[in-house]
Amino acid sequence: MPVLSRRRFLKISSGAVGLTAAGGFAGPNLSELMAAPVPGDEIRTVPTFCDICFWKCGAIAYTKNGQLWKVEGNPEDPLSRGRLCPRGTGGVGAHYDPQRLTAPLLRREKRGQEEWVEVTWDEALGFIAEKMQVIKKTHGPEAMALFSHGIGGTFFKQAFKAYGTPNIAAPSYAQCRGPRDVGFNLTFGEGVSTPERTDIRNAQCLTLIGSHLGENMHNTQVQEFAEAIEKGASIIVVDPRFSIAASKAKYYLPIKPGTDMALLLAWMNVLVNEELYDKPYVEEYGFGFEAFQAEIAPYTPEWAYPKTGITPRMIRDTAREMARYKPASLVHPGRHVTWYGDDAQRSRAIALLNALLGSWGRKGGFWSPVSMDVPGYPHPPYPDSERGKADNPGHKYPFADGALTTGIREATLTGEPYPIKGWFVYATNLMQALPNREETIRAIQGLDLMVVVDVIPSEIAGWADVVLPESIYLERHDDLNVEWFRDPFIALRQPVVESPADQKPNWWMARELAKKLGLGAYFPWNDIHEYLDQRLQAGGYSLADLEQHGIIRGDKQPVFFDEGLVPEFYTPSGKIEFFSLQLQEAGFDPVPKFNPPAEPPPGHFRLLYGRAPMHSFSRTQTNPLLAEMMEENEVWLNADIARRLGFESGQYVRLKNQDGVVSNPIRVKATQRIRGDCVYMVHGFGHTARGLGKAYLKGASDAQLITRYETDPLMGGSGMNVNFVSLELEA
Amino acid sequence: MARFGMVIDTTKCVACMDCVVACKTENEVPEGLCRDWIVQEVKGAFPELQMEIRSERCNHCDNPPCVDCCPTGASHVEPLGLTVQVTGDVCIGCKACLASCPYDARYIHPEGYADKCTFCMHRVVEGLEPACVAVCPTRCMYFGDLDDPNSQVSRLIRSRKGHTLLPEAGTKPRIHFLT
């Protein structure tokens, strides 16, 4: 590793202070640990990739005299392009987080009371293995479910497949991007995948529908967004809230929440009626265009105006603007799209609009992801499950192509199609991710085993029988990231510093658990080095090379049609399906239709939620650096409405939803930046887990107020923007 | 001699606060304090709104009132880049500079001296950009010599619309915001 030596320009206080590595881990003085180096300091750099969110940006971590100092972007990495987002930069705080779990815990009192005793790893894993053996014997292996988020779940998935369960799910499907990928798959035969295959940097017109880039800090996307702005791209933003992105827009459409479908249909109507769509593209690649044209004929801008609140002139102007720049005209598919329960169809409408603009497969539209060939580590075949997955019995949701967390929860509650008796939860705070917390709690109460792997004592950890403390990403190896992206590459996560206490990496936990279950044959390697080295050697690459650079990049391949990529559409017709026979046969609308949303009851506002750039979900609120950037969330309320109702910015209120659920106190942000019929808050706050220190009871939780949800009939996604709240001043 | 300054493109900034986090991890900024910060200035009524997003910090003014009012000489202009700096050992913590700064760019460090943005001179002398500039994911910040007509900052100031903060204060601030 390169060793740098730096000196400080101004010496104004003493340098670094040592931190006790294990035991007595009290909140360290971060500012002293992160002081700029003084002469003689030993600076070491280690390339790795970030895990504060799922984007997996390449990073270079710095240590100073053996202590973690700072993290920067790896210039060789195509995702970060040398620059991390605030969360990645603040990743240092995850290591020093005073709220971290430090040892395996075994429940002492009732579930949810957060009373545990510290146990050894051997005791903790032995307890889990014993319970899992009983569950397997009594109910079959399918009665264990794994909830897992992110690349760190790879080895647990392997262990659970070896154990014999097909019930492996993540909220990133049914509570996030699942409907989007189903909608695009039904249209183009492929999903949008992650990182999104959007060519934002070359888009000459970029349309964002509720997608709040900049607040939604997906690094590459935001970097490309800024690049597009610099190049003068025309930006159209549709959002009930004047988002950061809206402030960059040429056209801002303050749409009534829940009516995006009407706008999308009207836009398509204009493109077709005024013959502004990409005709040669549609003729060559389209299927069912005439039937589609007939279906959308009634949806004029005048039809959409009273529904959406967007004037016919604005609808026409923006449709023409999109068409002017086609095919480099990108209508962004969004990511967290589980809004109203018709989300797969709305996503399909977005896909169709892109099809009319000819942007799929074109520069400034959508590229086709490519990857490098790195074989998996060989292992014995997994046992077949006789009973199949439990989350979607009888294919009730015929187009679900991923496992449904809420389906597993339902099976746990009902015992149908068969009982689920154990949950193993890796790196996902289901209490804040799933709608209707009460259902989740009831499901957990009926379990024989509940295990949570986490880095902090989150709400979901509070309900566990056994809590396993994980090393954070800067302290561990993970599986290789062999990414599907516009530029193929392999990235390595490797430890920068040691874990401060008795935390362990996921691969170690998964392998030790497998051994105790008699499944050691599925982990036929001695340590993670051997695993990574073998995988890389099989692909013709070197671990030493990757350890030094963090990234190995592959050869450029064609990712657009005009670069030589062969246009292929993996739909039943082999074409872009403007009219979907498979939807029609399954009893759904072959061309999307508009369903009006429910109106808020008097005195209520629709509850909308989103992201802040310095936080990831509900997992960063205890990170001292990121907490300082945003300590609590606020409820955005239109300033005129606030004045009328007598609320002022900074006042604490409680939100009460239509089912009588009352939130923690949350500050009002009276602002012109939102419509009067909805309120907005950033997701991830309002923690109720007692071990979360300063984050405990700070701000309010949208998840707590999402007692209602509309299930997407196509694929089982949870539409969550269907709750209404009133505000009550906190005494 | 160089005269360092910054240009910040408000049209690209997304208010993510990466510059703030990077400053804190790069320098020793104590908890609860910061040397740079984000301002979102909203004008108009919904939905006819404009918003300017600015990453703000010490302006390293050509005419710095903080230096003029300092009784000990702790606040001074460094020959290198003509930046405004504070020598902590010489500062008596009288706060005259805090009161004189129209940009509210200074704070009293818990150890008793006035503190603020240094333009990361410890990085600049190593040939690096200030931490906030180097980290920015939108690449909306530029650092350089305002006296060099060929520098990127000079060219951006010439070719784009923009403004400085409180020019009427007469401090001649050296951070330019493109709009």
Side-chain angles (χ1 to χ4, degrees), chain A residues 377-433:
Chain A
Y377 198 103
H379 59 76
Y382 295 128
D384 284 331
S385 164
E386 285 165 24
R387 295 189 285 184
K389 292 191 299 143
D391 64 305
N392 189 12
H395 297 280
K396 185 173 163 194
Y397 305 110
F399 296 98
D401 56 2
L404 308 169
T405 47
T406 28
I408 290 177
R409 184 176 71 179
E410 186 68 18
T412 310
L413 282 167
T414 61
E416 297 296 333
Y418 53 78
I420 300 281
K421 289 306 206 183
W423 284 14
F424 194 105
V425 183
Y426 174 76
T428 172
N429 188 358
L430 296 179
M431 288 299 163
Q432 296 263 27

Side-chain angles (χ1 to χ4, degrees), chain A residues 115-153:
Chain A
E115 296 286 343
W116 292 283
V117 282
E118 287 192 9
V119 291
T120 64
W121 278 98
D122 193 53
E123 287 168 317
L125 295 172
F127 179 91
I128 297 166
E130 202 182 308
K131 290 269 187 182
M132 282 177 70
Q133 296 290 34
V134 173
I135 287 171
K136 191 185 224 174
K137 210 167 170 184
T138 319
H139 304 283
E142 298 92 340
M144 275 304 299
L146 171 66
F147 298 89
S148 166
H149 183 267
I151 193 169

Side-chain angles (χ1 to χ4, degrees), chain A residues 5-14 31-32 34-37 69-72 80-87 89-90 92 213-215 217 219 222-223 225-227 229-230 239-244 247-248 252 254 613-614 624-626 628-630 638 640 669 671-676 694, chain B residues 9-18 20-22 24-35 40 42 44-53 76 78 80 83 85-89 109 111 113 115 118 120-123 125-126 128-129 132-142 160:
Chain A
S5 138
R6 303 241 214 110
R7 69 182 175 83
R8 290 175 60 208
F9 182 70
L10 292 166
K11 187 179 181 313
I12 44 183
S13 88
S14 57
S31 67
E32 286 183 8
M34 296 183 310
W69 171 33
K70 64 176 178 178
V71 192
E72 295 178 347
S80 76
R81 308 198 291 179
R83 310 226 168 183
L84 297 177
C85 82
R87 298 167 299 171
T89 306
V92 176
L213 287 183
E215 290 159 281
M217 199 65 210
N219 193 356
V222 176
Q223 292 195 25
F225 182 45
E227 215 174 318
I229 292 167
E230 188 165 37
D239 202 315
R241 186 179 63 97
F242 189 78
S243 60
I244 293 289
S247 76
K248 317 290 185 193
Y252 168 52
M614 63 294 283
L625 276 164
L626 300 180
E628 211 184 322
M629 297 302 113
M630 182 181 182
N638 176 278
D640 300 333
K669 174 182 170 126
T671 174
Q672 287 293 339
R673 292 176 56 193
I674 191 166
R675 286 174 62 99
K694 285 184 184 173
Chain B
D9 188 344
T10 65
T11 68
K12 287 163 71 181
C13 177
V14 295
C16 74
M17 297 179 84
D18 206 357
V20 186
V21 184
K24 293 198 66 127
T25 61
E26 178 68 33
N27 299 294
E28 50 193 304
V29 184
E31 196 181 333
L33 299 169
C34 56
R35 294 180 179 184
Q40 299 183 33
V42 182
F46 189 85
E48 299 300 323
L49 293 163
Q50 280 110 43
M51 182 162 68
E52 184 173 292
I53 305 168
H76 64 283
E78 274 290 320
L80 176 65
T83 57
Q85 305 291 353
V86 183
T87 311
D89 297 345
H109 191 282
E111 288 176 18
Y113 56 87
D115 201 17
T118 64
C120 277
M121 293 309 291
H122 67 282
R123 289 176 57 94
V125 295
E126 301 276 342
L128 300 167
E129 294 175 312
C132 54
V133 178
V135 78
C136 176
T138 68
R139 291 169 167 81
C140 77
M141 285 189 247
Y142 308 86
R160 294 271 305 269

Side-chain angles (χ1 to χ4, degrees), chain A residues 55-132:
Chain A
W55 203 258
K56 303 192 280 281
C57 289
I60 311 259
Y62 288 69
T63 61
K64 186 173 55 191
N65 304 324
Q67 306 281 358
L68 184 63
W69 171 33
K70 64 176 178 178
V71 192
E72 295 178 347
N74 182 348
E76 294 183 49
D77 167 49
L79 288 175
S80 76
R81 308 198 291 179
R83 310 226 168 183
L84 297 177
C85 82
R87 298 167 299 171
T89 306
V92 176
H95 172 66
Y96 293 120
D97 189 339
Q99 256 55 63
R100 287 185 65 175
L101 292 163
T102 53
L105 303 172
L106 197 61
R107 181 166 62 84
R108 208 170 57 184
E109 301 291 334
K110 279 187 191 162
R111 280 200 182 116
Q113 296 201 342
E114 302 177 275
E115 296 286 343
W116 292 283
V117 282
E118 287 192 9
V119 291
T120 64
W121 278 98
D122 193 53
E123 287 168 317
L125 295 172
F127 179 91
I128 297 166
E130 202 182 308
K131 290 269 187 182
M132 282 177 70

